[in-house]
Amino acid sequence: MTAELGVDAVVLVGGKGSRLRPLTLSAPKPMLPTAGIPYLSHLLSRIREAGISHVVLGTSYQAEVFEEYFGDGSAFGLELEYVVEEEPLDTGGAIRNVYDKLRADDAVIFNGDILSGADLGELVRTHRESNADVTLHLQRVDDPSRFGSVPTDADGRVLEFLEKTPNPPTDQINAGCYVFRRSVIEAIPAGRRVSVERETFPGLVASGAHVHGFVDNSYWLDVGTPEAFVRGSADLVRGVLPSSALPGPIGSALVLDGAKVADDATVTDGSTIGAGAVVCAGARVSGSVLFEGAYVAENAVVERSVLGAGTRVGAGTVLRGVVLGDGASVGAGCELLEGARVWPKAELPDGSVRFSSDA
């Protein structure tokens, strides 16, 4: 058992996950099956392994789903509490909203849609050794222009928070994980929308508070888009990002109990085949996530796609970079390519949609 870090964990899971629609019409983003289990299960196992046992979930959208699945957390070796956001409060407001549940002097705050390999124990130690008011996990990325950048001085103090810019002065970005002194959380205005990125953090820097940067270049991925979601799931299956919660051995595919894959079908590149799902003869599934009960007919091709629960893909159909909502059906001989999204229970007849003329 890892020694207790003596901090609370707060996981913000109130978002609607609109970038992942139609998958999030039926479940909150942190509850979507990611490498066979809800994404949040992977994060909670990481929190527990770091030596944190008290976790507060800040919920809003479909709030009841979290408590129904995780309960009091005892099955996960955790003590879980829930705070429901009655109206949207943004990141800072959501953090302030859980203040009454906090016990320790420091709290580690997690955005509920980030996969990360950062060392949480080292993050907390850095926070304490630097005597910071807030410590931010800062990730080095190849293309920081896609994010707001956060420059630091030679001692690690944050200098400013910059919006997206074509030529950022640093490759360090806000990675969506923070350590807050409890007293700083108490000072966030209660009962209204507050953005930590645009209001809280810049205000702290301007007031002379010590905002520290924990700079890291381990695995990091925002799983908020379908492309990132399938990549993150595949990375967990392949062990690129280790997770003790993975419901099977790491490898080129994760086939859950009750799923059926024909002998001459191929399932590769970190694909997950959900319980009760079927992959028929000659079909090829690569780097994809098939939810419970999905059906892929003979000689179909599914690449980098997400197939919702109970979906059906017809014989010879090709899906590349596609999302099918729960219960959707794509007939035989169709071809759907990058970015196509089919809403729940929609039915596309045989040969009805193609991107090329080689039918």
Side-chain angles (χ1 to χ4, degrees), residues 206-244:
S207 71
H210 185 170
V211 180
H212 202 79
F214 173 77
V215 182
D216 189 55
N217 59 357
S218 61
Y219 183 99
W220 184 85
L221 183 67
D222 175 346
V223 293
T225 65
E227 300 80 16
F229 174 76
V230 293
R231 187 161 81 247
S233 180
D235 285 348
L236 287 162
V237 170
R238 296 183 297 131
V240 176
L241 177 64
S243 170
S244 63

Side-chain angles (χ1 to χ4, degrees), residues 10 12 85 89-100 102 109 111 178 180 185 188 196 201:
V10 175
L12 305 179
E85 212 172 283
L89 295 171
D90 209 338
T91 45
I95 294 167
R96 179 61 178 85
N97 199 44
V98 306
Y99 173 77
D100 291 345
L102 302 179
I109 317 291
N111 283 355
Y178 325 109
F180 271 80
I185 295 176
I188 296 172
V196 289
F201 294 152

Side-chain angles (χ1 to χ4, degrees), residues 50-309:
I52 305 172
S53 56
H54 179 233
V55 182
V56 183
L57 294 184
T59 66
S60 177
Y61 176 63
Q62 297 192 23
E64 68 286 347
V65 174
F66 296 97
E67 193 160 3
E68 285 170 7
Y69 187 91
F70 292 104
D72 65 2
S74 56
F76 301 84
L78 295 166
E79 182 185 355
L80 286 182
E81 294 191 87
Y82 303 83
V83 177
V84 180
E85 212 172 283
E86 302 299 341
E87 56 187 53
L89 295 171
D90 209 338
T91 45
I95 294 167
R96 179 61 178 85
N97 199 44
V98 306
Y99 173 77
D100 291 345
K101 298 286 188 185
L102 302 179
R103 304 169 185 170
D105 291 335
D106 298 302
V108 186
I109 317 291
F110 299 86
N111 283 355
D113 54 4
I114 302 293
L115 278 175
S116 171
D119 185 331
L120 296 178
E122 195 60 32
L123 172 66
V124 172
R125 279 190 289 276
T126 298
H127 173 73
R128 288 172 173 163
E129 288 171 4
S130 63
N131 198 29
D133 296 297
V134 178
T135 299
L136 281 70
H137 172 205
L138 302 180
Q139 184 74 22
R140 294 190 188 280
V141 296
D142 292 335
D143 182 11
S145 66
R146 295 169 46 231
F147 308 91
S149 58
V150 185
T152 51
D153 69 13
D155 297 321
R157 284 184 80 129
V158 170
L159 298 172
E160 57 184 332
F161 292 84
L162 302 173
E163 297 294 330
K164 295 177 186 176
T165 172
N167 297 297
T170 175
D171 61 356
Q172 299 170 181
I173 66 160
N174 176 358
C177 177
Y178 325 109
V179 188
F180 271 80
R181 280 190 186 172
R182 190 170 161 197
S183 57
V184 175
I185 295 176
E186 185 180 19
I188 296 172
R192 70 166 175 87
R193 293 182 72 103
V194 180
S195 165
V196 289
E197 299 88 354
R198 289 185 291 278
E199 183 176 341
T200 307
F201 294 152
L204 286 167
V205 171
S207 71
H210 185 170
V211 180
H212 202 79
F214 173 77
V215 182
D216 189 55
N217 59 357
S218 61
Y219 183 99
W220 184 85
L221 183 67
D222 175 346
V223 293
T225 65
E227 300 80 16
F229 174 76
V230 293
R231 187 161 81 247
S233 180
D235 285 348
L236 287 162
V237 170
R238 296 183 297 131
V240 176
L241 177 64
S243 170
S244 63
L246 191 71
I250 62 172
S252 62
L254 175 63
V255 180
L256 297 182
D257 290 346
K260 296 179 181 177
V261 177
D263 290 343
D264 63 345
T266 58
V267 180
T268 60
D269 297 317
S271 294
T272 297
I273 311 300
V278 176
V279 180
C280 295
R284 291 187 287 124
V285 178
S286 166
S288 296
V289 182
L290 276 59
F291 289 6
E292 186 175 348
Y295 182 90
V296 178
E298 295 80 4
N299 300 313
V301 176
V302 179
E303 296 178 359
R304 296 174 285 100
S305 295
V306 188
L307 276 53

